[in-house]
Amino acid sequence: MGIDDVSAQAITRQVTLVVPYSAGGGTDTVARLIGNQMSRALGQPVVIENVVGAGGTRANERVARSEPNGTAVLINHVALLAAPSLFTNLRYDTEKDFEPVGLVNNAPMLLVGRKSIPGQKPSDFVAWIREQGGKANFAHGGIGTNSHLCGVMMGNVLGFKPTFVAYRGSNPAITDLLAGQIDLLWDQVTNAIQQVQGGMLHGIAITSTTRLRELKDVPTTAELGMPEINYTMWHGLYVVKGTPKEIVAALNDALRKAVTDPEVVAKFKQLGTVPYPDKELSAEAHAKLFATDLPRVAKLVEASGAKPSEAQ
């Protein structure tokens, strides 16, 4: 029996891909790209459900409390790993209640700034940020998200405590950046690349090891003397613990087909992100990265000075 036959037998109902963030954001964009292709592979509809709020924990709980039949799948990034360090009222166990399905894509973080920041090139903008210190406003999508942690790292490197302004996702933050109402935002490159390419925002720095061809004028953090700011945004898929192995395997197979589809790969490239290589697409590879990054993220959250509170 081939894997397609197994998939057809294992997944016999509509699959809901649960996104913890607003429509139009980076994670939502990635979810919709892979969702269409996964639907073809599974022979079942894959619908996107945006469950926003409480720092993404409502979506996490939605899947953690679902039936173990593969019909509710979570897509999330570092926020899933950061939640135990940030919130005191989680109604699920991050380590024990999820089964990794597979890794989706890996994207560097991009620092963008309002167009009116003085200067002509990225090093000028970094000099301005250093001079402003705590007066510079950094937007972020929630305490413990990559946008927040990269801002913390930058403040540590440049010697100041950033002023943060919280937003409910990237889109409203970018809207305020475009209007000049906020200064800076660290965002996954998938969400901010078009505004930089269009000349609407300054591209200041990127956390990739080399410059992206799509953003050839944006230097890496290492080039700007900030190699410590090196976090990237990786997405993974999860189902509730206890989901049968054959269902996890069917979902992983559909994910593999999605992220290797030439159309998806081309769109990922346009967004400045890449799917994981074949050897890292297994559920086991995902589980290994999850276990490695969980304590790393906890240390970053602790270093940021964030105190655990109730998720609202």
Side-chain angles (χ1 to χ4, degrees), residues 42-217:
L42 292 169
Q44 298 292 335
V46 174
V47 299
I48 306 299
E49 181 180 344
N50 299 91
V51 182
V52 182
T57 63
R58 287 179 185 165
N60 302 340
E61 183 181 343
R62 156 86 166 80
V63 174
R65 290 175 170 267
S66 66
E67 292 294 322
N69 57 14
T71 60
V73 181
L74 175 70
I75 181 170
N76 210 339
H77 48 57
V78 68
L80 176 64
L81 287 75
S85 301
L86 293 170
F87 304 118
T88 59
N89 60 334
L90 296 183
R91 298 201 294 173
Y92 60 87
D93 187 309
T94 303
E95 280 191 89
K96 298 178 181 179
D97 288 349
F98 296 100
E99 188 73 48
V101 170
L103 296 165
V104 182
N105 69 310
N106 193 17
M109 295 294 288
L110 174 66
L111 177 63
V112 292
R114 58 177 169 83
K115 196 65 176 175
S116 53
I117 291 177
Q120 299 298 317
K121 55 186 184 295
S123 58
D124 295 336
F125 307 140
V126 173
W128 178 84
I129 295 169
R130 188 192 300 270
E131 180 183 332
Q132 293 297 306
K135 297 178 182 178
N137 294 318
F138 285 76
H140 70 77
I143 299 296
T145 61
N146 276 20
S147 56
H148 172 247
L149 295 179
C150 284
V152 171
M153 293 178 193
M154 190 170 197
N156 290 342
V157 171
L158 299 184
F160 65 88
K161 185 175 182 180
T163 296
F164 288 110
V165 181
Y167 285 82
R168 292 176 65 86
S170 297
N171 279 357
I174 287 179
T175 297
D176 277 3
L177 273 172
L178 292 169
Q181 296 175 0
I182 199 78
D183 297 322
L184 302 155
L185 169 68
W186 280 100
D187 198 7
Q188 53 181 307
V189 67
T190 51
N191 203 46
I193 188 171
Q194 293 181 347
Q195 288 80 6
V196 174
Q197 290 174 329
M200 296 177 285
L201 294 174
H202 289 308
I204 300 174
I206 195 164
T207 62
S208 51
T209 55
T210 59
R211 294 194 187 196
L212 295 186
R213 185 173 64 179
E214 293 77 14
L215 292 172
K216 59 183 178 62
D217 295 327

Side-chain angles (χ1 to χ4, degrees), residues 11 13-17 62 67 69-73 239 247 251:
I11 307 292
R13 295 166 53 191
Q14 173 180 293
V15 173
T16 300
L17 187 52
R62 156 86 166 80
E67 292 294 322
N69 57 14
T71 60
V73 181
V239 289
I247 291 179
L251 290 168

